[in-house]
DNA sequence: GGAAACCGTTTCGGTTCCGTACCGTTCATT
DNA sequence: AATGAACGGTACGGAACCGAAACGGTTTCC
């Protein structure tokens, strides 16, 4: 039983959610940053810079910079992999989990308000 | 008959859509820019800088700059209002309509693929 | 042990974005 | 005709971003 959405509903949902996020005054993340953040929180760990770069189809510095920004926001944290010290493991944080959880709630709420 | 989504489904939908957009290699819009673009394409005209600033709860320069960027992408166009030459009317473009339409289709497709 | 491969970060020049404050034009009111 | 309000845009210093390339630290492989 999959989710059925018409294009007009999908766009309205996207607009209402974006609008709510902007108005809430939180950080103005880019689409890349959102994709990275959600991947870290939804896909099973471990997450590495290279792995994320491949999954998103972007270069490594893009990931490094996004992690810098979201690390400053305390949405993610970095830790050296002790089993292979070349790797950096990206981990979730309490603040990041709260942010993602709240985002999910906003989408659900806006979906429920959607007109036919 | 409203749309029912669980938070986990909402987040997965958001992730899959963002991921598809990033991988498609299009412009990396910020959440603010997306909110502006969708508002221009979904809400009835006319759209002005001030009106958009109020709707999003941001300052005018934010709108001006976003219109600069999206104008360079040919997603929107600006025209002086001849009835009140203080106003600038923001209009849709063919390229912008295509972009928005494609975004809607991506959301619909990802929603259909959503697991239970 | 030394070369090669791998990983994440840093550097470079250049672009875009931010918020605050100010500017030039146009309209409304008197 | 003049004043004040309204509108969009610009200037500023500071921050974040880009892609391409180079850089150290680590592991792997002969």
């Amino acid at each position: 039983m999959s989710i059925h959405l018409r294009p007009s509903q999908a766009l309205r949902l996207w607009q209402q959610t974006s609008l709510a996020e902007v108005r809430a005054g939180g950080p103005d993340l880019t689409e890349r940053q959102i994709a990275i953040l959600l991947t870290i929180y939804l896909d099973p760990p471990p997450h590495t810079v290279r792995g994320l770069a491949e999954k998103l189809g972007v270069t490594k510095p893009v990931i490094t910079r996004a992690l810098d920004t979201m690390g400053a926001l305390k949405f993610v944290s970095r830790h050296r992999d002790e089993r292979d010290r070349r790797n950096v493991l990206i981990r979730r944080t309490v603040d990041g989990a709260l942010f993602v959880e709240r985002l999910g709630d906003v989408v659900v709420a806006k979906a429920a308000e959607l007109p036919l």
Side-chain angles (χ1 to χ4, degrees), chain A residues 2 10 14 19 24 35-36 40 43 50 62 65-66 71 81 85 88 90-91 101 115:
Chain A
S2 61
W14 214 261
L19 224 47
I36 293 170
I40 292 169
D43 287 2
R50 182 168 285 292
V62 168
R65 280 186 290 254
D81 182 356
R85 296 183 51 76
V88 166
I90 297 111
R91 292 218 287 255
E101 187 180 338

Side-chain angles (χ1 to χ4, degrees), chain A residues 39-57:
Chain A
T39 295
I40 292 169
Y41 278 82
L42 297 181
D43 287 2
H47 298 288
T48 65
V49 172
R50 182 168 285 292
L52 290 171
E54 282 173 8
K55 194 167 294 194
L56 301 216

Side-chain angles (χ1 to χ4, degrees), chain A residues 98-112:
Chain A
L98 284 174
F99 179 83
V100 170
E101 187 180 338
R102 202 183 50 74
L103 175 62
D105 291 344
V106 170
V107 177
V108 170
K110 296 304 176 185

Side-chain angles (χ1 to χ4, degrees), chain A residues 38-95:
Chain A
L38 290 178
T39 295
I40 292 169
Y41 278 82
L42 297 181
D43 287 2
H47 298 288
T48 65
V49 172
R50 182 168 285 292
L52 290 171
E54 282 173 8
K55 194 167 294 194
L56 301 216
V58 297
T59 60
K60 286 182 297 172
V62 168
I63 304 294
T64 294
R65 280 186 290 254
L67 294 179
D68 288 344
T69 302
M70 295 196 293
L73 292 170
K74 308 236 185 255
F75 284 179
V76 298
S77 66
R78 282 187 267 208
H79 305 272
R80 187 63 66 177
D81 182 356
E82 289 305 332
R83 295 154 45 99
D84 182 343
R85 296 183 51 76
R86 289 174 299 184
N87 290 331
V88 166
L89 303 179
I90 297 111
R91 292 218 287 255
R92 304 161 186 170
T93 65
V94 173
D95 286 355

